[in-house]
Structure formats: structure tokens, C-alpha cells
């Protein structure tokens, strides 16, 4: 039997308006705290919204 190879991670997503929508701008990070730190360190685009969202991460 093969064990599951994915786990939950967290990505930073940016919303660039209704045409583009939400898009992940980072690779999945291990914890929500790491994702918040990455979001806070990003250079922000004026008018864009940012959020932390759960995502599947490869378990290496």
C-alpha cells in the first residue's frame, strides 16, 4: 500500500481584479505563520488584495 504523499500547506494569493481573479504567488509553505511572514515581506501592488489560503503541498 502506498501512503499519501500530500499534506496541507499555505500559499499567499493576490487578487488582481475580476478578470484575473485570485492567483497563488508563492509556493506552499509549511505553516500559516511562515505564509504571513512571506506576505508581510512582499512588495505590494497598489489596489491588489492579498490573503493566506490552504493548499496541497508535496510531502518530501
Amino acid at each position: 500500500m502506498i501512503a499519501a504523499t500530500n499534506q496541507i500547506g499555505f500559499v499567499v494569493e493576490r487578487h488582481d481584479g475580476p478578470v484575473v481573479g485570485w492567483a497563488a504567488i508563492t509556493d506552499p509553505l509549511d505553516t500559516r505563520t511562515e505564509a504571513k511572514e512571506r506576505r508581510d515581506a512582499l512588495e505590494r501592488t497598489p489596489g491588489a488584495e492579498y490573503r493566506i489560503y490552504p493548499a496541497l503541498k508535496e510531502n518530501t
Side-chain angles (χ1 to χ4, degrees), residues 1-57:
M1 178 179 246
I2 299 174
T5 59
N6 290 326
Q7 63 184 7
I8 285 291
F10 297 91
V11 295
V12 177
E13 292 187 342
R14 179 177 67 211
H15 188 268
D16 286 316
V19 175
V20 177
W22 288 99
I25 58 173
T26 64
D27 291 329
L29 301 162
D30 291 329
T31 66
R32 184 178 293 277
T33 302
E34 287 177 332
K36 286 180 181 179
E37 289 170 357
R38 179 74 58 90
R39 181 194 60 198
D40 294 342
L42 286 172
E43 191 170 322
R44 301 291 179 103
T45 303
E49 296 178 47
Y50 294 82
R51 71 178 180 188
I52 307 297
Y53 205 76
L56 286 179
K57 177 180 182 290

